[in-house]
Amino acid sequence: MLTGAGISTESGIPDFRSPSGLWANFDPLEYGSIQAFRRDPAKVWEFYAPRFSMLATAEPNPAHVALAELERVGRVSAVVTQNIDLLHERAGSREVVEVHGSIRSASCPGCGRAYPLADVLVLVGEGNAPACVDCGGILKPDVVFFGELLPGAAIDRATELAASASLMLVVGSALEVYPVAGLPLDTLRAGGALAIVNRGPTAMDSKATLKVDGAAGEILPLVAAVLAA
C-alpha cells in the first residue's frame, strides 16, 4: 500500500503539486528546501506554522479508516505514505512507513534535542519561530525538505515491502516523485500486480492491472466492506 497527498485532501489538507496546490502559490525552493531553512529558518516557519496547526487538528477521512480496517483483517500488510500528517496512525493503522517524515516532532539542528508535536505547537503559538530551550537554535520540522535525503530506514523498509507484495495498491499519488514513485516497479519486477485509486492520471496507469479514477473516501470504504466481511 502506497499513499500520497490525494488521500488527505478529503480531510481538508491541500496537496502540493496540483494546479491549486501549495506550490502553485509558494516557491518550494524558497519555503520548502533545506537551503532555504538554513538561510532563513524564521521565514520558513512563517510558511509552516499555520500548516502545522492545521495538520494537527485534521481528522482521518473514510479512506484512512478503510485502510486501517483492511490492515486489521489482514488484507493490508503495511502502509507506505508520502504524507506527513499522521492521519493513517490516527485512523488506527499500525504498520505505517513515513518516507517523507512527519509532523510528529521537530529537532534542533544545533544540539539535536527533539520536541514532540504538542511542544512545537506551543512554541509556534507564541508567534515566533520555535526555538530550542537548551541552545536557542531554531527547530527544524522532522519532515524531508527539498535537497534532503529520505530517511534510510524508512525507504529501505518501503522497498522491502514493495518487493514482497503480491499486490501494491496506490492511493492518491500521481507517482511523479522519486524514489518513492519507483516502488510499484519493485512490486512488478517481483511478479506482483499494481492497482491504483487516484483522481486523474498517474505515471503508471499503463502498468496497472486496475485503475479507478475517483475519490478514495468513496471507493476504499466499498472495498473494505467487501474484503473485511
Side-chain angles (χ1 to χ4, degrees):
M1 171 66 61
L2 172 63
T3 66
I7 195 173
S8 292
T9 54
E10 294 172 61
S11 291
I13 297 175
D15 65 8
F16 287 88
R17 298 175 183 277
S18 73
S20 60
L22 289 175
W23 297 145
N25 298 309
F26 296 92
D27 182 349
L29 297 181
E30 187 176 353
Y31 291 95
S33 71
I34 188 61
Q35 292 83 4
F37 179 83
R38 290 169 178 161
R39 183 171 57 249
D40 191 347
K43 179 178 180 179
V44 171
W45 269 108
E46 288 179 7
F47 171 82
Y48 266 97
R51 287 160 183 82
F52 255 57
S53 300
M54 175 190 67
L55 293 174
T57 57
E59 294 292 334
N61 64 59
H64 296 103
V65 174
L67 292 183
E69 176 63 11
L70 288 170
E71 181 187 18
R72 187 188 69 79
V73 299
R75 296 289 188 168
V76 168
S77 58
V79 176
V80 176
T81 187
Q82 298 170 282
N83 299 332
I84 63 171
D85 52 37
L86 301 178
L87 291 183
H88 286 298
E89 182 179 291
R90 292 174 188 163
S93 291
R94 296 180 178 87
E95 182 70 21
V96 181
V97 182
E98 297 163 328
V99 291
H100 288 167
S102 79
I103 63 167
R104 182 177 287 102
S105 60
S107 299
C108 176
C111 69
R113 177 170 174 174
Y115 291 77
L117 176 61
D119 291 351
V120 176
L121 290 174
V122 170
L123 294 171
V124 167
E126 295 173 354
N128 299 309
C132 178
V133 298
D134 288 341
C135 71
I138 302 300
L139 305 184
K140 178 190 173 297
D142 288 333
V143 301
V144 177
F145 282 23
F146 289 102
E148 288 191 295
L149 296 175
L150 300 187
I155 195 62
D156 287 348
R157 177 59 174 153
T159 302
E160 176 188 10
L161 288 165
S164 63
S166 58
L167 171 67
M168 174 176 284
L169 174 60
V170 176
V171 180
S173 175
L175 296 172
E176 294 177 344
V177 181
Y178 282 81
V180 178
L183 292 174
L185 297 177
D186 293 328
T187 298
L188 294 170
R189 280 192 290 263
L194 173 64
I196 299 172
V197 176
N198 191 60
R199 286 186 182 273
T202 81
M204 295 197 186
D205 286 355
S206 64
K207 300 181 184 299
T209 301
L210 174 67
K211 164 65 188 301
V212 180
D213 194 319
E218 298 174 1
I219 295 164
L220 292 185
L222 298 176
V223 175
V226 173
L227 296 182

